[in-house]
Amino acid sequence: MGEECKSSETSSPEKSREATESESDSWSGSASLVEKSAVEINGDECQAPPEIPLVNKYEMNVDSEQESQSLNTVSVDELGPGVPVKDGKGLFMVPAVGMEFESEEHAYKCYSRYAVMEGFSIRKDFVNKSRVTGAVVSRRFTCYRQGYRPSKHSMNTRKPRKETRTGCLAHMTIAWQPYGKFRVTNFENKHNHEFVNPSTAHLLPSQKRLAFAEAVEADLASSSGVDGVPKLGMGFESEDHAYEFYNSYAGKVGFSVRKDYVNRSKIHGAVVSRRFTCFREGFRQKDKRDLNIKRPRKETRIGCLAQLVISRQSDGSYRVTNFEEKHNHELVAACRIRMLRSQKQLVAAQTAEGNAIEGRKIQLKSAYEVSCNSIGDCVDHEYDPVDQRSKLISKCTREMRDGEAEKIQQYFQSKKVKNPSFFYAIQLDADNQIANIFWTDAKMVMDYSDFGDVLCFDTTYRISEDCRLFSPFVGVNHHKQMVIFGAALLYDETVDSFKWLFQKFLEAMSGKKPKTILTDQDEIVSEAISSILPDINQRVCVWHVYQRALKQLSHMFIGSPPFVNDLLSCFFDHEEEEDFIASWNHMMDLHGLWDNEWLNKIFENREQWAIAYKRHIFCADIKSVQLRGSFILNLKKYLKSDSDVLSFLKQLGKMVNDWHYKELEANYDMSQNMPKLMGDVILLKHARDAYTPRIFELFQQEYETCLNIVVNQCIENGSLLEYKVSIYGQPREYTVSYNLSNNTVCCSCMKFEFIGVLCSHALKVLDYSNIRLLPSQYILKRWTREARV
């Protein structure tokens, strides 16, 4: 019983290695031998026995790897056993009874490559080992669909595994020979199932194992990970090292990494295998609670299959067993990589590492500033910011503090040196003293080119006790965020000063004029605008009027706490003239303000500032941005009596950088998340693909309102249809005109003309007319995802 099993057939190694003496020897028409019976399989050898003939029709030159006839159109079975076949990885022999191999592993590789060529996977089945030495005496490799799975264990499982075994009898059995080789003693090549497609053969389990083994050998032979790209078989010391490597690769490519599935040992709890996936992997499961959520989370998962799987090896290290590189979504641009969740730790580490370098830069910067004490040292002599042709004819109304002029000039000159596209201009007074300064940079100019249709010129900020005027040019971007187009420091507030300022603004913006400009109730500014920008729409900014109301009525806050809410509602909540007047009268009656002269005066001029009037003028809904913006609150911290102009300018620069960063965050969030739809509606899907999330939220609210609107009347006049619509249960009617010839719609509420988004009344008429896609003329580019393109 202790003796080793031996094969009844014996042959000497010399007999099995017959070879021809010369390459010029010809084949006989009946039978012949391979020129070399030893054929390499990735450095391994398998031998064909001399008693198996090869067909002359498929003659190959094994040494030179040149084929006399292509075998791409011929199946492996048609070639017959023992024939050398070439695949993508080299030559191998078709298994046959009597074929010999150097080892069991070599036999497994040969049979596995044959299986891949055919289109099936193999399984290591029966093994017979010596009771004395423990060496393998015989081994059987079977088709992966061999046998049948026992049914007793699958009775209680909720999700039973799919049945893969069909009782296939295809197999190859090898036996050890006394001279140390393994010989094929049994080979069955008939299967009772269909083979897989060649394009999916790499997904077969045995092929994955073979590819992994070959990848490990290649990884050991070379220095892996030099290029920073994960590869099959790549090794890592620990799970954390694998994650750091994959996360670093993800940062270079442009996606975030999520730690997904983990398999731990039930014995010692160590991680046996782990899968790292793209953060957009899978799909979010539906939750019944989502129906009651007012603002559901944005959808981020879209079923991306990119992943990296590692498995623990016998030596305690980890190796890559699966790597999927392709993504089904756009990758993040390099400028937004730091916003990815998994990259924030890397950014923090890099920031900490760069602190020392930054310290050295500060020292160099200080030395540079010392060398630039004199104004002329750092000046671009070809660029003269001083406007000699537009001097004031009188002395400026406010004087600068001692040394303030030199500090301001050095600050702007250093900005110009660092960024040649930086633009600034200086106006002098009659005594050649600095009266006014205007500045902008390339980013502000770019913002103006994209969103300069609505411009808000603010004259409500004063610096320190000298009341120096700081006037920014601001607007709103496609995310409904505040953007700044330029700014000015004014020491003179005459008409000539404002005319010069608007001229320099247009010069910096290459002559592009806005469609609408919003200002404060200042007759001097209005006169300057009418002179320089006579053709644009001008109206008083309701936000500025509201800020003045808070100052004029500050005594009301103590005696009547609800007064602020009533004032806010009266200014910003009523888009209809009737509603606005009713709200105003109610506020005046409730709080006894009929004797307030200032309120009576602004009410007389209500058509200049109230949002219920001049709704034909496009304002980009800037008042809502100003309401929730923190620009004034942050800026007022530095408008104190002891504020230095230079510190104020530096703080302003930081605030502008914060605005730019918030836009980058919004762009990143827009590229990674899709707003949730209130229903499976084609119109909403179309709008979601076009608008930014903030604008789509506004549009979807209008669509939700339109569901409660009823059509009361329709008057047809040729191609022009006039509808009378109203919200269900409310008496007020709106008139909506729809032109069949050019597919245009117009509502009496004029919300589209005022904000740039179709109102609920117009959407109701479009739906009533079976218009399922939003007409292109009602999708303003400034509100779209492509606003910057």
Side-chain angles (χ1 to χ4, degrees):
M1 297 294 292
E3 294 179 356
E4 299 178 2
C5 300
K6 298 181 180 180
S7 173
S8 59
E9 297 181 5
T10 58
S11 61
S12 64
E14 292 78 5
K15 184 178 180 180
S16 65
R17 296 183 179 177
E18 296 179 1
T20 56
E21 295 290 330
S22 173
E23 292 183 1
S24 62
D25 292 343
S26 61
W27 286 51
S28 64
S30 58
S32 180
L33 299 177
V34 183
E35 182 178 290
K36 288 186 178 180
S37 58
V39 183
E40 285 190 357
I41 307 176
N42 294 336
D44 307 326
E45 294 183 352
C46 66
Q47 294 183 352
E51 60 267 20
I52 300 176
L54 300 181
V55 182
N56 188 33
K57 174 180 178 181
Y58 302 110
E59 177 181 357
M60 295 182 179
N61 186 340
V62 179
D63 287 337
S64 64
E65 296 185 3
Q66 294 178 350
E67 301 177 5
S68 61
Q69 186 173 347
S70 176
L71 302 179
N72 292 336
T73 59
V74 183
S75 68
V76 177
D77 284 340
E78 291 177 352
L79 298 177
V83 175
V85 179
K86 183 177 181 180
D87 64 358
K89 300 180 181 179
L91 289 164
F92 71 97
M93 301 291 291
V94 177
V97 176
M99 184 182 291
E100 294 184 347
F101 302 94
E102 291 293 332
S103 65
E104 174 198 359
E105 188 64 25
H106 298 163
Y108 173 77
K109 288 183 179 180
C110 181
Y111 190 46
S112 179
R113 292 177 65 178
Y114 161 75
V116 172
M117 292 286 290
E118 281 287 83
F120 68 95
S121 182
I122 67 173
R123 178 185 289 125
K124 290 183 179 181
D125 191 37
F126 171 79
V127 61
N128 181 20
K129 294 186 178 182
S130 170
R131 295 184 179 180
V132 178
T133 61
V136 174
V137 176
S138 62
R139 161 77 79 176
R140 181 171 64 199
F141 306 108
T142 65
C143 173
Y144 77 118
R145 310 199 77 170
Q146 172 267 347
Y148 297 95
R149 181 180 292 135
S151 59
K152 61 179 181 179
H153 298 291
S154 61
M155 297 295 293
N156 299 325
T157 57
R158 294 183 178 179
K159 293 183 179 181
R161 291 185 299 171
K162 294 181 180 180
E163 187 59 56
T164 58
R165 300 196 182 191
T166 61
C168 183
L169 298 177
H171 69 279
M172 183 180 79
T173 305
I174 57 174
W176 180 81
Q177 305 301 306
Y179 45 84
K181 297 182 182 293
F182 284 85
R183 171 175 289 185
V184 178
T185 59
N186 194 359
F187 176 62
E188 177 61 54
N189 62 353
K190 292 183 179 181
H191 298 257
N192 67 347
H193 57 88
E194 294 182 355
F195 294 144
V196 300
N197 204 335
S199 61
T200 59
H202 65 282
L203 300 177
L204 294 169
S206 61
Q207 174 60 13
K208 289 183 178 180
R209 290 192 293 268
L210 180 62
F212 174 70
E214 294 173 348
V216 171
E217 292 180 1
D219 182 68
L220 294 175
S222 62
S223 57
S224 62
V226 176
D227 55 354
V229 179
K231 296 178 181 177
L232 190 67
M234 182 181 291
F236 300 98
E237 295 180 0
S238 65
E239 173 200 359
D240 293 335
H241 291 166
Y243 173 77
E244 292 173 1
F245 180 85
Y246 189 50
N247 192 32
S248 177
Y249 161 78
K252 297 175 183 176
V253 174
F255 67 97
S256 184
V257 177
R258 176 184 289 133
K259 292 183 178 180
D260 191 41
Y261 170 80
V262 61
N263 182 23
R264 296 183 180 273
S265 171
K266 295 181 179 179
I267 301 175
H268 46 71
V271 174
V272 177
S273 62
R274 159 77 80 175
R275 181 171 62 198
F276 306 112
T277 65
C278 173
F279 75 119
R280 309 201 74 174
E281 173 268 343
F283 297 93
R284 182 179 297 155
Q285 296 180 354
K286 293 185 178 180
D287 193 339
K288 296 180 179 179
R289 295 173 295 180
D290 291 343
L291 299 175
N292 300 323
I293 297 176
K294 294 183 178 180
R295 290 189 176 181
R297 291 185 300 165
K298 296 177 181 180
E299 189 60 55
T300 58
R301 300 194 179 190
I302 58 175
C304 183
L305 297 177
Q307 59 180 283
L308 179 80
V309 181
I310 58 173
S311 297
R312 184 182 175 89
Q313 306 299 302
S314 57
D315 59 354
S317 64
Y318 291 85
R319 290 197 176 272
V320 178
T321 57
N322 187 24
F323 172 58
E324 179 59 46
E325 184 178 5
K326 296 181 180 179
H327 298 257
N328 67 346
H329 56 89
E330 293 184 1
L331 299 175
V332 177
C335 61
R336 305 173 189 166
I337 291 297
R338 63 179 182 271
M339 300 178 188
L340 295 169
R341 180 174 297 181
S342 66
Q343 301 302 319
K344 290 182 178 179
Q345 295 179 351
L346 291 178
V347 173
Q350 294 171 358
T351 302
E353 184 178 349
N355 283 341
I357 300 176
E358 188 66 25
R360 292 193 293 271
K361 287 183 178 180
I362 292 175
Q363 294 177 355
L364 293 174
K365 181 179 178 182
S366 299
Y368 171 79
E369 290 177 349
V370 169
S371 65
C372 297
N373 281 333
S374 61
I375 296 177
D377 290 343
C378 300
V379 176
D380 181 2
H381 296 285
E382 297 180 358
Y383 176 76
D384 186 10
V386 179
D387 191 353
Q388 301 288 348
R389 297 173 300 176
S390 301
K391 288 184 179 181
L392 295 175
I393 59 175
S394 60
K395 188 176 180 180
C396 63
T397 56
R398 292 180 178 85
E399 295 183 357
M400 288 189 171
R401 296 178 180 178
D402 293 338
E404 197 170 71
E406 290 77 9
K407 291 181 180 180
I408 292 176
Q409 289 190 57
Q410 287 185 8
Y411 175 79
F412 287 121
Q413 288 165 3
S414 64
K415 298 281 286 185
K416 183 68 176 178
V417 171
K418 295 176 183 178
N419 185 6
S421 61
F422 183 83
F423 177 88
Y424 73 104
I426 298 175
Q427 185 183 30
L428 303 178
D429 64 1
D431 294 339
N432 287 330
Q433 300 296 319
I434 293 179
N436 302 304
I437 305 172
F438 167 75
W439 71 93
T440 185
D441 59 25
K443 182 64 172 63
M444 296 178 184
V445 173
M446 184 185 302
D447 290 340
Y448 181 78
S449 65
D450 295 329
F451 309 110
D453 49 359
V454 176
L455 176 65
C456 182
F457 179 64
D458 203 333
T459 56
T460 60
Y461 304 112
R462 299 283 176 175
I463 302 178
S464 74
E465 59 187 6
D466 297 334
C467 294
R468 290 161 289 176
L469 181 63
F470 168 70
S471 299
F473 295 84
V474 297
V476 57
N477 65 9
H478 55 325
H479 298 293
K480 294 186 73 173
Q481 297 172 330
M482 193 81 77
V483 289
I484 186 169
F485 304 136
L489 279 176
L490 300 177
Y491 291 81
D492 185 84
E493 299 176 34
T494 61
V495 175
D496 291 337
S497 293
F498 285 110
K499 285 182 179 180
W500 172 86
L501 176 59
F502 291 127
Q503 288 174 346
K504 288 302 174 181
F505 178 82
L506 290 178
E507 179 183 338
M509 304 304 168
S510 302
K512 181 181 177 180
K513 298 179 181 180
K515 294 180 180 179
T516 305
I517 184 167
L518 306 174
T519 64
D520 192 10
Q521 290 177 305
D522 194 318
E523 294 180 357
I524 295 177
V525 174
S526 179
E527 181 181 348
I529 293 175
S530 300
S531 176
I532 305 301
L533 302 168
D535 300 329
I536 66 171
N537 296 315
Q538 183 182 170
R539 65 176 294 159
V540 177
C541 181
V542 63
W543 171 257
H544 295 161
V545 180
Y546 174 72
Q547 291 297 312
R548 290 184 180 274
L550 294 180
K551 295 179 180 179
Q552 293 288 336
L553 305 172
S554 59
H555 61 281
M556 295 295 300
F557 302 153
I558 301 176
S560 180
F563 173 71
V564 178
N565 295 332
D566 294 338
L567 185 68
L568 189 69
S569 175
C570 185
F571 272 68
F572 297 103
D573 291 348
H574 304 291
E575 298 179 353
E576 297 293 333
E577 180 182 9
E578 182 181 349
D579 294 340
F580 168 73
I581 295 177
S583 177
W584 182 274
N585 293 334
H586 174 74
M587 178 186 69
M588 300 292 280
D589 288 334
L590 182 63
H591 302 284
L593 297 173
W594 287 107
D595 295 332
N596 190 294
E597 296 182 1
W598 186 85
L599 284 176
N600 291 327
K601 183 178 180 180
I602 66 169
F603 183 75
E604 291 177 0
N605 299 324
R606 61 187 179 277
E607 294 184 3
Q608 297 294 325
W609 57 269
I611 61 177
Y613 301 93
K614 291 187 176 182
R615 294 186 62 81
H616 65 283
I617 298 177
F618 180 66
C619 293
D621 201 24
I622 195 171
K623 53 94 177 175
S624 65
V625 181
Q626 293 170 323
L627 274 174
R628 71 174 191 274
S630 57
F631 177 72
I632 293 179
L633 296 178
N634 292 332
L635 199 59
K636 281 187 175 180
K637 297 178 182 178
Y638 298 89
L639 299 178
K640 301 175 183 178
S641 58
D642 56 345
S643 294
D644 180 70
V645 173
L646 190 60
S647 62
F648 169 77
L649 293 176
K650 291 180 179 179
Q651 181 62 26
L652 178 65
K654 292 180 181 179
M655 289 179 56
V656 173
N657 289 334
D658 289 341
W659 286 2
H660 295 164
Y661 182 75
K662 288 181 179 180
E663 182 180 348
L664 288 176
E665 285 185 322
N667 287 334
Y668 166 75
D669 184 67
M670 177 177 64
S671 66
Q672 303 302 315
N673 305 320
M674 293 295 288
K676 194 169 183 178
L677 300 174
M678 60 175 291
D680 189 12
V681 182
I682 297 176
L683 184 68
L684 291 180
K685 291 180 179 179
H686 181 217
R688 182 178 66 173
D689 293 339
Y691 286 133
T692 60
R694 284 285 302 170
I695 302 303
F696 174 74
E697 181 182 349
L698 177 62
F699 178 85
Q700 188 164 231
Q701 290 175 358
E702 293 295 325
Y703 182 83
E704 185 177 6
T705 304
C706 92
L707 299 178
N708 294 322
I709 292 180
V710 294
V711 177
N712 300 324
Q713 186 181 5
C714 177
I715 302 174
E716 185 174 353
N717 184 12
S719 62
L720 185 64
L721 302 178
E722 185 176 283
Y723 294 89
K724 299 292 185 180
V725 300
S726 63
I727 298 177
Y728 181 79
Q730 296 185 10
R732 176 178 288 127
E733 281 191 338
Y734 297 88
T735 302
V736 181
S737 300
Y738 177 63
N739 195 325
L740 295 173
S741 60
N742 54 13
N743 206 28
T744 57
V745 63
C746 180
C747 181
S748 58
C749 75
M750 305 191 75
K751 186 162 192 172
F752 177 78
E753 291 79 3
F754 191 67
I755 295 179
V757 176
L758 279 180
C759 62
S760 57
H761 321 114
L763 291 177
K764 181 63 179 182
V765 171
L766 290 179
D767 182 70
Y768 191 80
S769 303
N770 292 326
I771 304 298
R772 297 293 175 243
L773 295 179
L774 196 60
S776 59
Q777 64 265 34
Y778 297 111
I779 302 178
L780 298 186
K781 184 182 178 182
R782 65 138 28 250
W783 293 137
T784 65
R785 296 169 176 262
E786 308 297 330
R788 291 284 193 182
V789 177

